[in-house]
């Protein structure tokens, strides 16, 4: 791709240096290369140097070349463009023919895409219809199964609601006693910790016979009611004589009645927990009967979940089937050979134009150890280039070292007889092709006019 091939050349933009000053152009007639010692150690005094001179017209040509490359790259990327791009420098039969072929390939892909979308949409709609039918049938079976277990399920839910209500009320009674104690502890400055809302209370023992007093317990006489004395435990012995303990005693009868109503976790007749155990068994039996008729409930639920997921997937597919991203991918694949042919033609033509611009430019020969002539035209760019090395190994192939100097700007001092060209940061290109590309990229990056 031209973009990849130009990556090295674009780096040359950073090497464009301006020798700033003011007034009319006053370049000396001669210049010499100021090569760093590290670079000089790799060169010899016999190495040739060549100075290329480029005019304002050359700058314009380079800019047009790079602009055309950008236009073509954009044309190749944007698969929606159905007209050949307008070019200036690269307006050539070698480019125009593959560009037209690419447009025709896109038009054919557009037509093929429409037919494919229609076919895909038809198939997806059929799958979606089948999935919805399956979901409807499965839900009908689910409703039949729910009818079988409705009565025992509702009975269980009603009992559990009663248990929740009773437990909530019992906790409220316990919290009321805890809050009363905490109020007394703070108000009377009792040296004990206030109680946590989760403190366990209403632990007790019950005995028949006369009521007695025990240290650390509160006696509740209910002999007339049920012939018993109840001994309530305290979270702390220091709480026994506080007025908050009366709230504890006052709430005890209701709290105990609620606990008796709720019952223990053993299957006790009449208690809510006992009723719940019976209701749970009835529901389990009803589920067995229903599953014998309609199949396992777990399998039914799994089928419902899978079918619903499949419907959602198909609906997403229908939304994406004609998406711009899908279409772009389809057209790009369909036109890949035509696009590659255009890119190759573009690269070849660009390389020829770049080489011609460099070859046709005015230049002079020089040696590294001698000053060389400098064309002092006001609108001229000087490109310093040397060849390095020789031989046949891959590490000693000729390299082109280059640096641009904008000769439209005056030199810092008009009194200099010889311009020293600082070669720090010189860039090398292993091939002449890359060297030419680097020249074009660097020239195109220059401003249009720097004569002010």
């Amino acid at each position: 791709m031209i973009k990849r091939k130009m990556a090295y050349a674009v780096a040359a933009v950073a090497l464009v240096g301006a020798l700033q000053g003011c007034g009319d152009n006053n370049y000396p007639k001669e210049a010499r290369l100021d090569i760093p010692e590290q670079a000089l150690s790799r060169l010899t005094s016999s190495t040739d140097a060549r100075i290329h001179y480029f005019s304002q017209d050359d700058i314009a040509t380079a800019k047009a070349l790079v602009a055309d490359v950008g236009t073509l790259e954009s044309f190749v990327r944007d698969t929606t463009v159905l007209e050949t791009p307008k070019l200036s420098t690269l307006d050539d039969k070698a480019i125009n023919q593959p560009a037209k072929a690419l447009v025709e390939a896109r038009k054919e892909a557009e037509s093929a895409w429409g037919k494919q979308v229609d076919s895909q949409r038809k198939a997806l709609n059929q799958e979606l219809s089948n999935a919805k039918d399956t979901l409807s049938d499965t839900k009908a079976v689910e409703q039949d199964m729910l009818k079988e277990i409705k009565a025992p399920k509702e009975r269980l839910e009603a009992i559990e609601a009663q248990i929740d209500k009773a437990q909530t009320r019992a906790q409220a009674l316990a919290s009321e006693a805890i809050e009363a104690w905490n109020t007394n502890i703070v108000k009377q400055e009792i040296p004990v910790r206030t109680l946590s809302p989760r403190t366990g209370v209403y632990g007790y023992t019950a005995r028949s016979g006369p009521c007695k007093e025990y240290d650390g317990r509160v006696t509740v006489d209910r002999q007339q009611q049920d012939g018993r004395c109840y001994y309530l435990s305290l979270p702390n012995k220091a709480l026994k004589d506080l007025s908050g303990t009366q709230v504890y005693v006052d709430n005890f009868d209701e709290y105990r009645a609620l606990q008796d109503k709720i019952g223990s976790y053993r299957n006790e007749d009449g208690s809510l927990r006992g009723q719940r155990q019976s209701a749970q068994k009835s529901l389990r039996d009803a589920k067995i009967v229903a599953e014998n008729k309609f199949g396992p409930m777990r399998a039914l639920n799994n089928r419902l979940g899978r079918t619903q997921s499949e419907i959602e997937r198909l609906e997403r597919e229908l939304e994406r089937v004609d998406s711009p991203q899908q279409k772009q991918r389809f057209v790009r694949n369909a036109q890949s050979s035509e696009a590659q042919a255009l890119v190759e033609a573009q690269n070849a033509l660009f390389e020829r134009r770049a080489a011609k611009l460099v070859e046709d430019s005015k230049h002079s020969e020089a040696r590294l150890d001698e000053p060389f002539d400098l064309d002092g035209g006001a609108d001229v760019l000087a490109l310093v280039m040397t060849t390095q090395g020789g031989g046949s190994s891959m590490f000693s192939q000729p390299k082109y070292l280059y640096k641009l100097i904008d000769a439209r700007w005056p030199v810092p001092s008009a009194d200099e007889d010889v311009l020293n060209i600082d070669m720090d940061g010189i860039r090398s290109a292993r091939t002449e092709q890359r060297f030419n590309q680097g020249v074009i990229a660097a020239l195109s990056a220059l401003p249009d006019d720097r004569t002010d």
Side-chain angles (χ1 to χ4, degrees):
M1 295 287 290
I2 188 67
K3 187 173 184 179
R4 183 167 61 251
K5 291 187 176 183
M6 288 293 292
Y8 175 84
V10 172
V13 172
L15 299 175
V16 178
L19 303 177
Q20 299 184 5
C22 59
D24 296 332
N25 186 294
N26 58 353
Y27 268 79
K29 295 185 180 297
E30 290 186 332
R32 68 167 62 90
L33 302 180
D34 184 6
I35 301 175
E37 186 173 339
Q38 182 180 3
L40 189 61
S41 65
R42 301 196 302 269
L43 304 173
T44 65
S45 60
S46 62
T47 303
D48 293 331
R50 174 177 291 181
I51 314 302
H52 287 266
Y53 304 98
F54 299 99
S55 66
Q56 289 288 127
D57 289 341
D58 294 328
I59 296 176
T61 298
K63 288 180 180 293
L65 274 171
V66 172
D68 279 355
V69 169
T71 299
L72 285 169
E73 287 179 344
S74 177
F75 171 64
V76 171
R77 284 195 305 269
D78 190 351
T79 59
T80 65
V81 178
L82 299 179
E83 293 182 357
T84 56
K86 295 182 179 180
L87 306 171
S88 55
T89 304
L90 296 181
D91 185 11
D92 188 275
K93 182 179 180 181
I95 295 293
N96 295 335
Q97 286 185 343
K100 290 178 180 178
L102 181 56
V103 168
E104 289 303 314
R106 285 177 180 171
K107 290 179 179 179
E108 291 177 5
E110 289 267 354
S111 177
W113 171 252
K115 294 177 182 177
Q116 176 173 298
V117 167
D118 290 342
S119 175
Q120 288 179 336
R121 184 176 283 113
K122 182 178 179 180
L124 288 171
N125 278 322
Q126 183 59 55
E127 288 184 57
L128 183 60
S129 177
N130 294 341
K132 287 181 176 180
D133 288 343
T134 299
L135 182 64
S136 179
D137 294 342
T138 307
K139 284 185 174 181
V141 174
E142 180 189 40
Q143 291 303 311
D144 290 340
M145 178 175 283
L146 291 177
K147 287 178 183 178
E148 291 280 338
I149 65 174
K150 181 180 179 182
K153 184 173 182 289
E154 289 178 347
R155 177 171 176 262
L156 176 60
E157 290 172 348
I159 294 171
E160 289 179 334
Q162 292 181 62
I163 293 174
D164 290 342
K165 182 179 179 181
Q167 288 178 331
T168 299
R169 176 56 183 166
Q171 183 59 47
L173 294 172
S175 298
E176 187 177 343
I178 290 171
E179 290 173 6
W181 271 323
N182 285 341
T183 299
N184 291 158
I185 290 171
V186 174
K187 186 176 181 179
Q188 299 179 35
E189 298 181 351
I190 306 299
V192 296
R193 298 288 182 185
T194 55
L195 305 179
S196 165
R198 293 186 296 274
T199 300
V201 295
Y202 285 120
Y204 66 90
T205 57
R207 295 176 183 174
S208 58
C211 293
K212 300 179 181 180
E213 290 293 330
Y214 291 95
D215 185 32
R217 287 178 175 265
V218 178
T219 301
V220 179
D221 186 348
R222 294 291 182 267
Q223 292 188 79
Q224 293 184 355
Q225 288 85 353
D226 57 18
R228 291 186 175 188
C229 285
Y230 293 89
Y231 303 97
L232 280 61
S233 60
L234 290 166
N236 192 303
K237 292 180 180 182
L239 304 178
K240 185 172 183 179
D241 297 327
L242 298 183
S243 59
T245 302
Q246 187 59 46
V247 176
Y248 189 44
V249 173
D250 292 344
N251 289 346
F252 172 66
D253 288 338
E254 184 181 357
Y255 183 89
R256 182 167 58 87
L258 287 169
Q259 293 302 321
D260 290 343
K261 181 180 180 180
I262 294 170
S264 69
Y265 285 98
R266 296 187 301 273
N267 189 2
E268 298 177 1
D269 293 338
S271 72
L272 289 174
R273 282 177 173 156
Q275 294 176 43
R276 181 171 65 182
Q277 286 187 354
S278 175
Q280 287 172 335
K281 183 179 184 307
S282 296
L283 179 59
R284 286 195 298 270
D285 292 345
K287 284 183 178 179
I288 292 173
V289 172
E291 288 185 342
N292 288 338
K293 293 180 180 179
F294 305 108
M297 186 172 291
R298 178 178 294 179
L300 180 65
N301 289 333
N302 288 341
R303 186 159 69 250
L304 283 170
R306 289 195 306 270
T307 306
Q308 186 60 52
S309 297
E310 178 67 4
I311 288 173
E312 293 171 359
R313 182 190 70 80
L314 291 169
E315 288 174 343
R316 289 194 300 270
E317 285 295 315
L318 278 168
E319 290 177 359
R320 289 197 298 260
V321 69
D322 197 19
S323 69
Q325 295 80 9
Q326 294 277 59
K327 181 178 180 180
Q328 183 184 53
R329 189 178 298 113
F330 178 87
V331 175
R332 181 175 288 120
N333 290 336
Q335 60 153 43
S336 60
S337 59
E338 288 81 5
Q340 182 61 31
L342 176 59
V343 169
E344 291 174 357
Q346 165 195 281
N347 290 340
L349 184 58
F350 176 83
E351 289 164 6
R352 290 198 300 272
R353 297 287 169 82
K356 179 172 177 56
L357 190 150
V358 175
E359 291 169 2
D360 290 350
S361 66
K362 185 178 179 181
H363 63 271
S364 61
E365 304 294 336
R367 288 164 53 95
L368 292 180
D369 55 351
E370 297 176 355
F372 49 82
D373 291 337
L374 232 170
D375 190 327
D379 60 353
V380 173
L381 292 171
L383 175 71
V384 180
M385 163 197 161
T386 64
T387 59
Q388 170 184 311
S392 58
S393 77
M394 63 179 293
F395 298 106
S396 59
Q397 294 297 318
K399 296 182 180 180
Y400 300 85
L401 309 178
Y402 58 92
K403 181 172 184 175
L404 291 179
I405 300 135
D406 194 337
R408 294 171 297 177
W409 278 111
V411 295
S413 172
D415 299 330
E416 294 181 1
D417 294 327
V418 178
L419 175 64
N420 286 318
I421 300 177
D422 180 12
M423 292 298 287
D424 280 330
I426 54 179
R427 178 69 64 178
S428 63
R430 290 185 177 273
T431 65
E432 186 172 359
Q433 175 183 321
R434 289 197 174 186
F435 171 74
N436 293 334
Q437 291 175 354
V439 171
I440 300 304
L443 289 176
S444 67
L446 292 170
D448 292 328
D449 187 7
R450 297 185 63 175
T451 58
D452 56 341

